[in-house]
């Protein structure tokens, strides 16, 4: 039976079954089919311009200082101890660096992330890398980390667009939400920090609506206020079909607040000390909706 699709796929994937699943699944790390393309993008970033001794003609050559700087930041060793005196020696150093990255996918991605941070957002080099990553079905994409280009997790494009749009609604909540996003989805992940910033983002967006006169507003206090007198606020959703809309809002706030269990030390020695990556990602996505509702006016005083 002939099948049609708006998206072109290789022959093996068009046959369906396991091949299709393998083709559509995002790949973490640096799979073999991405390795050479990724290195072709990264290698020129490890070069600098030198000049010949005679006619001072410029030429590009690996820069030992860039290689050793990357080693320090990535906490890896290429094993190269050359002087970098001439082009051949520098080529040898770059080859050693390449070999070290090929053995360590996390360091490879870290080196790419480092190189990205030194580029301008939206530059041709950023776009070319994004094309490479997208074609390879990489779990990583080019995004913004603390205002600079960097590798971020490739999540649903609709969620990504919603996060970027929400961040413009409220400057303070937007900054906190951006920090939560960075800690949850970038190469420098910190789940506990991501969760903490997600809660603070909701507090920043909700406080002017629920507790405008409270000098020390917390999500816990705002949950109590909203639950005790929900009639004081309007919500864009008004029809109670299967669940009261305002009860849902309180429930979402309560889930976010209660599950940040690392705020206090649990006397149970078996209790986890840090939230998991999955909890952090869920908290950020949950906070995204709440911040949007409060910052956009979907939830407002009656």
């Amino acid at each position: 039976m002939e099948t049609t699709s708006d998206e072109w796929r290789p022959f093996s994937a068009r046959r369906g079954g396991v091949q299709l699943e393998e083709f559509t699944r995002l790949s973490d790390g640096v799979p073999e089919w991405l390795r050479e393309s990724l290195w072709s993008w990264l290698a020129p970033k490890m070069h600098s311009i030198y000049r010949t001794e005679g006619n001072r003609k410029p030429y590009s050559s690996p820069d030992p200082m860039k290689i050793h700087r990357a080693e320090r930041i990535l906490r890896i060793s290429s094993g190269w101890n050359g002087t970098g005196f001439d082009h051949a020696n520098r080529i040898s150093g770059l080859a050693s660096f390449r070999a070290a990255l090929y053995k360590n996918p996390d360091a490879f991605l870290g080196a790419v992330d480092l190189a990205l941070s030194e580029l301008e957002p939206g530059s041709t080099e950023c776009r070319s890398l994004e094309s490479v990553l997208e074609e390879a079905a990489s779990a990583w994409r080019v995004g913004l980390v603390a205002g600079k280009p960097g590798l971020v997790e490739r999540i649903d494009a609709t969620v990504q667009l919603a996060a970027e749009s929400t961040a413009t609604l409220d400057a303070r909540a937007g900054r906190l939400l951006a920090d939560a996003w960075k800690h949850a989805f970038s190469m420098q992940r910190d789940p506990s920090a991501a969760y903490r910033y997600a809660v603070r983002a909701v507090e920043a967006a909700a406080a002017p609506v629920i507790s405008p006169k409270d000098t020390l507003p917390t999500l816990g206090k705002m949950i109590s206020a909203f639950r005790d007198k929900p009639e004081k606020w309007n919500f864009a959703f008004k029809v109670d079909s299967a669940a009261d809309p305002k009860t849902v809002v309180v429930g979402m706030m309560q889930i976010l607040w209660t599950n940040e269990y690392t705020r206090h030390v649990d006397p149970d020695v078996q209790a986890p000390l840090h939230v998991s990556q999955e909890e952090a990602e869920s908290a950020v996505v949950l906070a995204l909706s709440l911040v949007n509702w409060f910052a956009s006016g979907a939830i407002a005083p009656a």
Side-chain angles (χ1 to χ4, degrees):
M1 179 184 296
E2 181 181 359
T3 59
T4 59
S5 173
D6 292 335
E7 179 184 2
W8 183 88
R9 290 169 174 163
F11 175 71
S12 61
R14 296 201 299 272
R15 297 179 67 186
V18 175
Q19 292 89 346
L20 177 58
E21 292 180 10
E22 289 296 328
F23 178 73
T24 56
R25 182 183 298 128
L26 294 179
S27 300
D28 202 355
V30 184
E32 292 182 359
W33 58 84
L34 173 60
R35 194 163 53 193
E36 294 300 328
S37 297
L38 204 58
W39 176 252
S40 295
W41 182 89
L42 177 62
K45 313 300 182 295
M46 308 306 295
H47 283 60
S48 290
I49 299 300
Y50 294 81
R51 293 183 180 276
T52 59
E53 293 185 5
N55 58 15
R56 307 298 293 168
K57 185 177 180 179
Y59 68 97
S60 178
S61 184
D63 188 333
M65 294 182 64
K66 290 184 178 180
I67 294 173
H68 291 315
R69 175 174 178 262
E71 288 179 322
R72 294 192 300 271
I73 293 175
L74 300 173
R75 306 295 194 270
I76 64 170
S77 172
S78 66
W80 179 60
N81 55 7
T83 62
F85 178 74
D86 56 25
H87 179 68
N89 188 256
R90 293 191 289 267
I91 287 291
S92 175
L94 187 62
S96 297
F97 183 63
R98 172 186 176 182
L101 294 185
Y102 276 32
K103 295 177 182 177
N104 189 333
D106 286 341
F108 201 160
L109 290 172
V112 172
D113 190 54
L114 176 61
L116 271 174
S117 70
E118 298 172 345
L119 300 176
E120 290 296 322
S123 67
T124 300
E125 292 171 302
C126 289
R127 294 197 301 271
S128 67
L129 177 60
E130 174 57 24
S131 295
V132 167
L133 295 172
E134 185 174 356
E135 290 171 351
S138 173
W140 299 95
R141 61 182 291 274
V142 178
L144 290 179
V145 179
K148 297 180 179 181
L151 292 179
V152 297
E153 195 166 13
R154 188 181 300 279
I155 60 174
D156 183 80
T158 303
V159 178
Q160 176 74 30
L161 180 61
E164 294 172 355
S165 300
T166 298
T168 65
L169 295 175
D170 183 296
R172 188 158 177 259
R175 287 196 301 271
L176 292 167
L177 191 60
D179 282 333
W181 196 267
K182 174 185 69 176
H183 288 299
F185 297 109
S186 75
M187 288 290 290
Q188 291 78 39
R189 296 183 182 183
D190 185 337
S192 292
Y195 205 118
R196 182 169 63 254
Y197 279 111
V199 171
R200 293 181 64 195
V202 175
E203 289 175 338
V209 178
I210 298 178
S211 308
K213 296 181 180 180
D214 192 340
T215 57
L216 292 173
T218 67
L219 188 55
K221 290 194 287 185
M222 286 184 273
I223 290 170
S224 297
F226 200 100
R227 180 188 290 122
D228 292 344
K229 295 185 177 180
E231 67 277 4
K232 293 179 61 177
W233 293 275
N234 292 324
F235 185 27
F237 291 112
K238 297 181 174 63
V239 179
D240 179 1
S241 54
D244 175 55
K246 293 181 183 178
T247 300
V248 172
V249 172
V250 172
M252 291 172 65
M253 295 168 69
Q254 186 69 57
I255 289 174
L256 185 64
W257 178 248
T258 303
N259 283 275
E260 194 193 5
Y261 50 80
T262 57
R263 285 180 292 116
H264 307 291
V265 177
D266 194 315
D268 181 1
V269 295
Q270 300 299 323
L273 297 176
H274 306 283
V275 299
S276 67
Q277 178 65 27
E278 291 76 13
E279 289 171 318
E281 293 178 7
S282 298
V284 174
V285 174
L286 177 58
L288 173 60
S289 293
L290 290 170
V291 169
N292 186 286
W293 287 338
F294 283 109
S296 68
I299 302 174

